[in-house]
């Protein structure tokens, strides 16, 4: 199951830089994860300073 980014996102971009699938992009006010491209690896969650990426 793909990760999702919660409203806790501070738009720092750390998750996007770490995503090996390139599934994370800047959205409107927060970053978003493309569920179809997400490999469910958790790299984004371990990098995020506020814990915004969470398993859906």
């Amino acid at each position: 199951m793909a990760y999702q980014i919660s409203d806790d996102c501070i738009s720092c971009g750390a998750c996007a830089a770490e995503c090996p699938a390139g599934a994370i992009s800047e959205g409107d006010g927060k970053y978003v994860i493309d569920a179809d491209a997400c490999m469910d690896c958790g790299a984004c969650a371990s990098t995020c300073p506020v814990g915004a990426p969470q398993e859906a």
Side-chain angles (χ1 to χ4, degrees), residues 14-47:
C15 59
E18 284 298 312
C19 181
I24 304 175
S25 60
E26 192 169 3
D28 187 23
K30 69 176 188 176
Y31 276 72
V32 293
I33 298 176
D34 178 350
D36 292 332
C38 179
M39 302 178 347
D40 196 31
C41 68
C44 57
S46 63
T47 302

